[in-house]
Amino acid sequence: MPPVAVLEFSGAKLRAARDLAGLSIDELADLSCRGARTIDHYERGEQRPSTQAVRALSRALGLEYADLLSTEDVAPDA
């Protein structure tokens, strides 16, 4: 069977969006009501955010929820 496309949070997209918005991690933390250290962990892929966190981050950046997701190909269960 071919791989299945799955949408997954992308720390790289979060960092790129933050950079594009001209925000520091501290500024994004204030706008999203999240900790700066937590956002750093999200961006580096060390921690996965909850759905609520992704919504808060996307709102703070003026983006849609899906803008912080990427498509990953996952092999279906055999």
Side-chain angles (χ1 to χ4, degrees), residues 47-64:
Q47 186 176 344
R48 292 178 102 168
S50 67
T51 300
Q52 295 88 347
V54 176
R55 283 197 174 103
L57 292 165
S58 61
R59 274 194 305 268
L61 291 165
L63 302 173
E64 297 293 323

Side-chain angles (χ1 to χ4, degrees), residues 21-41:
L23 297 173
S24 69
I25 288 179
D26 289 328
E27 290 168 327
L28 180 56
D30 287 342
L31 292 171
S32 65
C33 299
R34 297 292 181 270
R37 180 186 245 169
T38 300
I39 292 173
D40 182 55
H41 288 296

